[in-house]
């Protein structure tokens, strides 16, 4: 059996970042395994844009924000390319429709305590102020807004490629088209079975998204992960100027649905998505065809609220969210076997991926991280107590 100082399964956003950090620390021999071609569009890390923001509604996430911004700056410097574009970010709460939806802490009152605790510069705005500064929106008059000037757009595809390039420069090898069929413990290390070989390692990082629960079969109780198929749509406005990044930043709209959107990027297109709400699926059964109901929902929202944003619909792309019952990340070692470290992004980890690569490397090499990640451990109640999942479902 070929032996490697570390193996990473899954070379998307989280896995590629971990592969680079492991190679930088351990040197040649670190191996990344990807079942598809690099840069494929069958997981959660594809596309050209993700949101990086300081405004958070969970304290566990807010604790990682400053180190994440630092990590992105470091990766940009090492890669010699821009990955992050500061656009400023706007959150709009549609109070009337929000009351009907009754959705969690993604509200102005939910954001405010963490903004104060972490000293995040921000502005709260009423509907009149929003309309004056961003006339692109059509408002009813009872909306509230929150603006944060350091919110940014991360080029996801370029960021994944940069981490892979840095990993290879540090001595890592990446094997494409190499699915993993089984992961098994042994006294001499962790066995990773592919179609062509059995590989042995002292440190295994599983960053396989929707395939995670399947790879962990036999390593304890099944991990209660739900996979949903989500989608985003790209548009081309007739008049691009009002939606240029220096005039129109990243936005989130909290109303009956949680929409998020991007200014012009990726060849002069705007983009809209909806956070969560997609149909439940699996990695094996998911489709790639867009849901026409959601496409129509996007169109109705834009026609009502952003009439200049979407003159022409260019394309719709699907992706997968892999969600624990509490919708938090999974970052930690398998209970009773610290040789195996697991990362699950829960549909919102890409913004932290440059930092998560370091966290996973610390867990794999030291058994702990200097960053506060207890809330994301594999032995937390959301992953171990069946009653938690039942309570969430009801």
């Amino acid at each position: 059996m070929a032996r490697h100082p570390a193996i990473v399964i899954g070379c998307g956003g989280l896995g590629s970042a971990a592969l680079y950090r492991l190679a930088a620390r351990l040197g040649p021999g670190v191996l990344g395994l990807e079942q598809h071609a690099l840069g494929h569009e069958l997981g959660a890390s594809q596309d050209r844009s993700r949101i990086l923001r300081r405004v958070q509604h969970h304290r566990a996430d807010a604790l990682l924000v400053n180190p994440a911004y630092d990590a992105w700056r470091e990766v940009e410097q090492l890669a010699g390319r821009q990955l992050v574009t500061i656009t400023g970010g706007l959150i709009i709460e549609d109070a009337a429709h929000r009351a009907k939806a009754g959705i969690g802490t993604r509200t102005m009152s939910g954001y405010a305590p963490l903004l104060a605790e972490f000293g995040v510069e921000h502005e709260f705005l009423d509907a009149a102020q929003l309309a004056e500064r961003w006339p692109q929106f059509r408002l009813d008059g009872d909306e509230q807004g929150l603006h944060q000037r350091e919110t940014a757009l991360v080029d996801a595809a370029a960021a994944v490629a940069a981490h892979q390039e840095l990993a290879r420069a540090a001595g890592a090898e990446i094997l494409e088209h190499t699915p993993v069929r089984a992961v098994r413990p042994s006294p001499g290390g962790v066995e990773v079975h592919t179609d062509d070989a059995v590989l042995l390692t002292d440190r295994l990082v599983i960053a396989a998204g929707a395939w995670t629960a399947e790879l962990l079969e036999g390593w304890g109780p099944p991990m209660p992960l739900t996979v949903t198929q989500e989608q985003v749509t790209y548009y081309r406005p007739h008049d691009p100027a009002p939606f240029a990044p220096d005039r129109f930043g990243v936005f989130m709209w909290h109303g009956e649905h949680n929409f998020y959107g991007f200014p012009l990027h990726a060849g002069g297109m705007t983009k809209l998505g909806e956070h969560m709400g997609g149909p439940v699926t699996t990695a094996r059964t998911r489709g790639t065809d867009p849901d026409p109901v959601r496409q129509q929902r996007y169109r109705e929202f834009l026609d009502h609220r952003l009439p200049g944003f979407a003159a022409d619909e260019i394309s719709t792309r699907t992706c997968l969210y892999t969600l624990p019952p509490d919708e938090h990340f999974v970052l930690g070692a398998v209970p009773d076997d610290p040789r195996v470290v697991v990362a699950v992004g829960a549909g919102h980890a890409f913004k932290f991926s440059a930092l998560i690569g370091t966290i996973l490397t610390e867990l794999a090499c030291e058994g702990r991280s200097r960053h506060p990640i207890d809330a994301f451990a594999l032995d937390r109640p959301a992953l171990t107590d069946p009653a938690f999942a039942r309570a969430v479902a009801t």
Side-chain angles (χ1 to χ4, degrees), residues 200-224:
L200 198 64
T201 185
D202 296 321
R203 306 169 186 87
L204 176 66
V205 173
I206 297 177
W211 298 92
T212 301
E214 183 174 320
L215 288 170
L216 287 173
E217 288 180 359
W219 291 81
M223 187 175 289

Side-chain angles (χ1 to χ4, degrees), residues 1-5 7 29 31 182-194 196-202 339:
M1 286 185 281
R3 191 177 192 98
H4 298 269
I7 294 176
L31 178 65
V183 175
R184 296 173 182 158
S186 73
V190 180
E191 297 179 5
V192 179
H193 294 245
T194 72
D196 300 319
V198 178
L199 310 171
L200 198 64
T201 185
D202 296 321
R339 300 175 298 179

Side-chain angles (χ1 to χ4, degrees), residues 152-272:
L153 179 161
V154 180
D155 187 326
V160 173
H163 275 121
Q164 292 167 357
E165 292 166 9
L166 291 169
R168 283 173 164 146
E173 180 183 5
I174 303 175
L175 297 181
E176 301 176 85
H177 306 291
T178 307
V180 173
R181 303 305 183 186
V183 175
R184 296 173 182 158
S186 73
V190 180
E191 297 179 5
V192 179
H193 294 245
T194 72
D195 291 336
D196 300 319
V198 178
L199 310 171
L200 198 64
T201 185
D202 296 321
R203 306 169 186 87
L204 176 66
V205 173
I206 297 177
W211 298 92
T212 301
E214 183 174 320
L215 288 170
L216 287 173
E217 288 180 359
W219 291 81
M223 187 175 289
L225 301 175
T226 299
V227 178
T228 63
Q229 182 168 311
E230 310 295 337
Q231 66 190 48
V232 297
T233 299
Y234 278 92
Y235 306 91
R236 198 179 305 280
H238 284 325
D239 182 4
F243 300 100
D246 59 346
R247 293 180 59 184
F248 186 84
V250 171
F251 76 88
M252 298 165 61
W253 182 282
H254 297 336
E256 184 178 0
H257 303 284
N258 280 327
F259 294 110
Y260 60 91
F262 293 82
L264 291 173
H265 68 293
M269 293 181 286
T270 56
K271 170 181 157 182
L272 185 77

Side-chain angles (χ1 to χ4, degrees), residues 16-225:
S16 295
L19 187 69
Y20 160 57
R21 297 295 181 177
L22 283 163
R25 180 161 181 162
L26 300 175
V30 173
L31 178 65
L33 300 175
E34 172 53 56
Q35 68 171 321
H36 304 296
L38 295 181
H40 68 85
E41 296 193 355
L42 296 173
S45 298
Q46 64 266 26
D47 210 358
R48 297 296 304 275
S49 50
R50 293 293 189 277
I51 299 173
L52 174 64
R53 58 190 175 96
R54 295 192 180 277
V55 180
Q56 299 291 330
H57 60 287
H58 289 303
R59 191 171 189 277
D61 294 347
L63 287 166
L64 301 181
V65 166
N66 285 341
Y69 271 80
D70 292 342
W72 281 117
R73 282 191 286 267
E74 180 188 8
V75 172
E76 283 187 314
Q77 183 176 16
L78 292 168
R81 70 177 79 169
Q82 182 178 356
L83 304 173
V84 176
T85 300
I86 301 293
T87 65
L90 187 62
I91 299 172
I92 298 177
E93 181 179 331
D94 178 2
H97 291 93
R98 189 61 176 209
K100 297 178 184 177
I103 305 172
T105 56
R106 289 173 173 261
T107 62
M108 296 302 150
S109 58
Y111 291 119
L114 291 175
L115 293 169
E117 178 181 352
F118 290 93
V120 177
E121 174 271 330
H122 63 280
E123 300 174 86
F124 286 114
L125 306 109
D126 61 25
Q129 293 169 315
L130 288 169
E132 181 179 0
R133 291 175 60 176
W134 292 279
Q136 299 93 331
F137 285 100
R138 183 181 293 162
L139 304 174
D140 292 336
D142 60 352
E143 296 86 359
Q144 301 177 69
L146 166 60
H147 183 255
Q148 211 288 315
R149 60 183 177 83
E150 294 174 291
T151 301
L153 179 161
V154 180
D155 187 326
V160 173
H163 275 121
Q164 292 167 357
E165 292 166 9
L166 291 169
R168 283 173 164 146
E173 180 183 5
I174 303 175
L175 297 181
E176 301 176 85
H177 306 291
T178 307
V180 173
R181 303 305 183 186
V183 175
R184 296 173 182 158
S186 73
V190 180
E191 297 179 5
V192 179
H193 294 245
T194 72
D195 291 336
D196 300 319
V198 178
L199 310 171
L200 198 64
T201 185
D202 296 321
R203 306 169 186 87
L204 176 66
V205 173
I206 297 177
W211 298 92
T212 301
E214 183 174 320
L215 288 170
L216 287 173
E217 288 180 359
W219 291 81
M223 187 175 289
L225 301 175

